[in-house]
Amino acid sequence: MAFEPLRPGAVIGILGGGQLGRMLALAAPRLGFRCHIYAPPGDNPAFDVSCAHTAAAYEDEAALARFASGVSVVTYEFENVPSATCAALERLVTVAPGREALRVAQDRLEEKTFLSRLGVPVAPFTSVAGVQDIEEAASRIGLPAVLKTRRFGYDGKGQAKIVSRSGCAEAWSAIGKAPAVLEAFVPFDAELSVIAARGRDGSFVPFDIPENWHENHILRQSRVPARVAPETVGWAGDIARGIADGLGYVGVLAVELFLLRRSGREELLVNEIAPRVHNSGHWTLDACHVSQFEQHIRAIAGWPLGDPSRHSDSIMQNLLGLEVDDWERLAKEPQTAVHIYGKAEARPGRKMGHFTRLHPLGAIAGKGK
Ligand code: AMP
């Protein structure tokens, strides 16, 4: 079905009311769009910045139908949208990125199988569903290894590292005995991500590649540019393009990568993909001509993709839990952009905001954390 570019004034539906939905809803009005957020009742900071919202369960078909009737396209800010919700909406309205991207990204086994078929390098992995499976897989893949639930894992949740054969049963219990994959532990030198958009016409536009630092499995900092060889940047972009093309993707996609340095050569392995805007792309708000959020809106609206080039080097840092109370000190810093998500409760580790320090182009090359 041909998709006419949306005209300013159209309403964009967004599933999910968190910070990503909020930043999408802040970007869309710049292009003349209005946003309607759909999320279950709760702390939904995206509601505060949108023209309309529906607080209802993702299983509420009547509410979904009402929502669909008032929007021109639907997108989502998180990958665990139930497939029945997506299917119900797709019968009524265009959903982008579509169901195929969700199917692949919601299940680590499907994801790694899809990536391997595309010829994308990933760590050795195998499907497991019990202690004996894990023990057998561990002898094939080797230890240390990481056990990850197939579904609903994020920020290190649903993951357990196994260092010795005797640890298999404990890891299986730690992940709640859910269907899982066992993958080789990657002794990476750095973590990178590609944030890129694919338009309705198949055009592909990547942002510069950030280097990401995690703490307790949660993103702490993204710095751009990453300290990698230009060929590695090109290779990472090619990997992301292959994935986006393979999914027939429309919107912004994130591909998380491990970087290894072996005898002076850089190698990449894909860790996972996220069919949405991504925390490691937040610096684009302040360091680029067009942010990942605007780019996503452009892509799903059928608009030409924007210029992703950077006018500054940048270091983005998350404000987790009570760190958000630092807003006043940060707001005084020159060349620092502060973003607060407006969440009601600052639980430990919860992403409450972020800040991005801008530096002249070329200024942070070679600098440490
Ligand atoms: P994930 O939920 O798969 O994105 O994992 C969260 C973080 O855990 C990653 O960003 C890495 O820092 C770490 N991690 C995940 N898988 C592996 C692995 N196979 N080897 C080493 N570290 C990993």
Side-chain angles (χ1 to χ4, degrees):
M1 186 170 54
F3 186 95
E4 286 291 311
L6 297 188
R7 301 183 69 79
V11 182
I12 292 176
I14 299 174
L15 298 173
Q19 68 269 18
L20 300 179
R22 177 178 168 104
M23 289 185 271
L24 285 167
L26 286 167
R30 200 166 108 157
L31 306 177
F33 298 122
R34 289 176 292 147
C35 289
H36 183 152
I37 310 286
Y38 188 111
D43 188 5
N44 285 303
F47 285 2
D48 295 342
V49 300
S50 54
C51 297
H53 66 258
T54 298
Y58 290 121
E59 293 73 27
D60 185 339
E61 291 212 7
L64 287 172
R66 275 195 304 277
F67 168 68
S69 69
V71 302
S72 298
V73 65
V74 170
T75 190
Y76 44 83
E77 60 135 30
F78 71 115
E79 57 272 42
N80 286 322
V81 174
S83 59
T85 305
C86 192
L89 287 169
E90 274 184 348
R91 285 193 286 274
L92 303 166
V93 63
T94 301
V95 179
R99 212 160 0 139
E100 179 61 3
L102 284 177
R103 187 187 67 77
V104 168
Q106 282 179 353
D107 182 330
R108 288 189 194 271
L109 182 61
E110 294 288 342
E111 180 180 55
K112 288 186 187 295
T113 307
F114 165 79
L115 292 170
S116 305
R117 282 201 191 119
L118 276 183
V120 169
V122 293
F125 69 95
T126 189
S127 164
V128 290
V131 178
Q132 205 185 334
D133 269 2
I134 300 171
E135 286 172 352
E136 278 168 22
S139 27
R140 258 176 296 128
I141 287 176
L143 292 174
V146 185
L147 184 65
K148 299 180 176 181
T149 53
R150 283 177 59 171
R151 300 174 72 85
F152 303 117
Y154 70 98
D155 287 349
K157 295 192 173 63
Q159 270 189 40
K161 187 173 172 185
I162 302 176
V163 291
S164 69
R165 224 180 133 76
S166 61
C168 292
E170 195 186 324
W172 176 239
S173 297
I175 65 154
K177 303 187 178 177
V181 291
L182 187 74
E183 65 181 49
F185 180 81
V186 180
F188 57 79
D189 292 285
E191 291 189 77
L192 312 173
S193 53
V194 183
I195 312 293
R198 187 171 182 276
R200 291 196 177 274
D201 58 357
S203 51
F204 178 81
V205 176
F207 288 95
D208 280 344
I209 289 180
E211 186 175 330
N212 305 317
W213 168 40
H214 293 81
E215 216 173 49
N216 304 321
H217 297 276
I218 300 175
L219 184 68
R220 167 53 67 184
Q221 218 179 60
S222 291
R223 49 168 294 147
V224 200
R227 291 161 291 189
V228 296
E231 306 79 66
T232 304
V233 172
W235 182 17
D238 290 345
I239 288 175
R241 182 192 290 258
I243 294 170
D245 287 344
L247 292 170
Y249 198 85
V250 173
V252 165
L253 168 85
V255 180
E256 296 182 38
L257 300 145
F258 296 129
L259 174 88
L260 293 120
R261 292 196 177 89
R262 284 187 182 142
S263 359
R265 281 190 51 240
E266 292 184 342
E267 285 180 29
L268 294 173
L269 293 175
V270 170
N271 175 29
E272 64 176 357
I273 57 183
R276 53 171 170 78
V277 287
H278 196 256
N279 194 171
S280 67
H282 288 1
W283 54 274
T284 60
L285 279 166
D286 303 295
C288 296
H289 296 287
V290 164
S291 74
Q292 62 165 346
F293 302 100
E294 178 173 333
Q295 196 74 305
H296 184 73
I297 298 292
R298 283 174 175 248
I300 64 167
W303 280 36
L305 298 179
D307 172 6
S309 60
R310 236 168 359 98
H311 50 70
S312 300
D313 285 2
S314 64
I315 300 181
M316 185 288 308
Q317 187 161 319
N318 277 332
L319 292 167
L320 304 175
L322 291 174
E323 288 167 9
V324 70
D325 291 345
D326 232 9
W327 59 267
E328 199 169 358
R329 184 181 63 78
L330 292 166
K332 282 183 193 149
E333 272 189 25
Q335 302 297 310
T336 296
V338 186
H339 299 259
I340 309 285
Y341 305 150
K343 294 184 182 178
E345 199 193 335
R347 292 193 292 274
R350 193 174 192 207
K351 292 173 181 169
M352 300 299 293
H354 72 268
F355 61 95
T356 301
R357 293 200 172 105
L358 297 176
H359 305 266
L361 283 178
I364 67 169
K367 275 200 186 163
K369 274 172 192 157

